[in-house]
């Protein structure tokens, strides 16, 4: 297989596999390789076209009888946190976010394993080793950053702060940021840390003048994905293009 990506990348189709979100469904994906000097430009275009990145692969669903997976992006400049989101921000006022190069650490992996063992014991990532984690972080040809979230330690100065609470693997693009994968301490229920990390990405995107935060796929009918439509306003990628989402039209799904 030729994996050299030029201006026009080659696309491939996976074999059918069990859908991880909707019981009784099968999924297929179309994918291409993101390598070489054009990878950042291609990643931008494909993300805007509904693709997601995993290592050096860009993919999107290509299921024959199902269109439940819908790409979501938050409209950063119009976003205003709800009352409950403001409480989340206040609760996590003691958290410091540090943006780093896409390099893994043993501390990150320890937290990653705790997160998987608590939240995704039966998922496709449940058997990932330290080498698998390193590849997930390092195998990128685009502008990828690791954001570490730590407890603030008073008087510690610049540099590492306290306990590592969460990590986000994020691509920085020309029109926004894309949250590739994030994980956090599973004992932080009272902090609503997953919500907090999304709110922090909205804040940093706005500071950079970037109009979007891409959240990946909202899967209609999957309860584990309902959190994504809480961040309004947002757009969904439909056959007619990016369309402003109206939650009232999908009350049974949100």
């Amino acid at each position: 297989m030729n994996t050299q990506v030029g201006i026009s990348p080659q696309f491939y189709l996976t074999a059918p596999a069990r859908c991880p979100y909707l019981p009784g469904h099968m999924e297929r994906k179309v994918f291409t390789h993101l390598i070489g000097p054009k990878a950042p430009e291609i990643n931008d275009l494909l993300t805007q076209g509904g693709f997601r990145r995993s290592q050096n692969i860009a993919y999107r669903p290509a299921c024959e009888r199902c269109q439940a997976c819908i790409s979501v992006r938050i409209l950063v400049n119009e976003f205003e946190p709800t009352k409950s989101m403001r409480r989340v921000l206040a609760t996590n006022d003691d958290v410091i976010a540090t943006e780093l190069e896409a390099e893994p650490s043993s501390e990150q992996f320890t937290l990653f394993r705790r997160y998987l063992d608590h939240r995704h014991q039966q998922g496709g990532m449940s058997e990932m080793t330290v080498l698998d984690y390193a590849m997930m972080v390092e195998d990128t040809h685009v502008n990828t950053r690791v954001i570490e979230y730590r407890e603030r330690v008073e008087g510690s100065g610049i540099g590492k702060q306290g306990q590592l609470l969460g990590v986000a693997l994020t691509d920085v693009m020309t029109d926004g940021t894309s949250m590739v994968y994030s994980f956090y301490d599973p004992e932080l229920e009272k902090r609503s840390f997953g919500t907090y990390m999304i709110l922090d990405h909205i804040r940093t995107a706005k500071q950079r003048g970037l109009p979007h935060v891409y959240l990946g796929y909202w899967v209609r009918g999957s309860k584990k994905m309902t959190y994504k439509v809480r961040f309004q306003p947002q757009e969904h990628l439909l056959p007619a293009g990016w369309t402003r989402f109206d939650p009232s039209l999908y009350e049974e799904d949100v």
Side-chain angles (χ1 to χ4, degrees):
M1 181 183 296
N2 178 16
T3 62
Q4 182 63 41
V5 176
I7 296 176
S8 299
Q10 294 182 346
F11 292 89
Y12 308 91
L13 190 64
T14 65
R18 183 176 62 85
C19 176
Y21 300 108
L22 300 177
H25 287 240
M26 300 295 286
E27 70 168 4
R28 299 189 78 177
K29 295 185 178 75
V30 60
F31 70 95
T32 190
H33 297 270
L34 288 172
I35 57 176
K38 290 287 186 179
E41 176 184 344
I42 294 171
N43 187 50
D44 277 20
L45 293 172
L46 292 180
T47 301
Q48 293 162 13
F51 280 72
R52 293 287 284 165
R53 185 184 70 81
S54 177
Q55 297 179 220
N56 65 7
I57 297 291
Y59 68 91
R60 67 172 296 173
C63 306
E64 296 177 2
R65 299 182 180 87
C66 179
Q67 295 182 342
C69 295
I70 300 173
S71 294
V72 174
R73 67 184 186 188
I74 300 167
L75 298 174
V76 168
N77 295 326
E78 299 180 52
F79 176 81
E80 291 292 340
T82 63
K83 185 176 180 180
S84 64
M85 290 175 182
R86 290 195 295 270
R87 286 197 295 266
V88 171
L89 289 169
T91 299
N92 292 283
D93 188 51
D94 61 339
V95 175
I96 296 292
T98 305
E99 188 174 298
L100 306 168
E101 297 290 337
E103 297 176 354
S105 71
S106 58
E107 187 181 22
Q108 292 170 14
F109 178 71
T110 298
L111 183 60
F112 177 69
R113 281 301 336 164
R114 287 180 60 199
Y115 177 79
L116 290 183
D117 293 342
H118 187 269
R119 299 288 295 271
H120 300 285
Q121 293 181 1
Q122 305 301 320
M125 302 174 73
S126 61
E127 302 300 322
M128 286 182 65
T129 66
V130 65
L131 180 58
D132 295 327
Y133 175 75
M135 290 295 292
M136 183 177 79
V137 175
E138 292 179 329
D139 192 5
T140 175
H141 292 251
V142 303
N143 185 13
T144 302
R145 311 294 286 175
V146 169
I147 298 93
E148 290 189 345
Y149 295 89
R150 296 179 179 273
E151 281 186 308
R152 179 188 293 112
V153 176
E154 297 300 333
S156 64
I158 299 174
K160 281 194 175 182
Q161 298 279 329
Q163 178 184 352
L164 182 64
L165 303 178
V167 175
L169 186 65
T170 302
D171 289 345
V172 181
M173 305 180 303
T174 55
D175 76 321
T177 59
S178 176
M179 298 184 70
V180 176
Y181 193 78
S182 58
F183 55 93
Y184 51 89
D185 188 332
E187 297 182 3
L188 299 179
E189 284 190 27
K190 293 182 179 179
R191 284 184 177 267
S192 300
F193 214 74
T195 296
Y196 173 71
M197 286 194 288
I198 295 175
L199 293 171
D200 183 67
H201 276 69
I202 296 171
R203 176 186 62 81
T204 56
K206 191 169 186 176
Q207 289 176 345
R208 287 172 164 162
L210 299 174
H212 304 118
V213 171
Y214 289 83
L215 292 184
Y217 300 116
W218 170 54
V219 184
R220 292 190 62 180
S222 174
K223 291 184 177 180
K224 68 172 65 175
M225 289 294 180
T226 56
Y227 74 92
K228 293 189 178 184
V229 294
R230 294 176 53 229
F231 300 87
Q232 299 290 333
Q234 61 182 232
E235 291 180 327
H236 289 190
L237 185 56
L238 304 179
W242 286 102
T243 304
R244 196 180 186 93
F245 176 67
D246 183 353
S248 67
L249 299 179
Y250 301 89
E251 290 181 354
E252 72 278 11
D253 297 306
V254 301

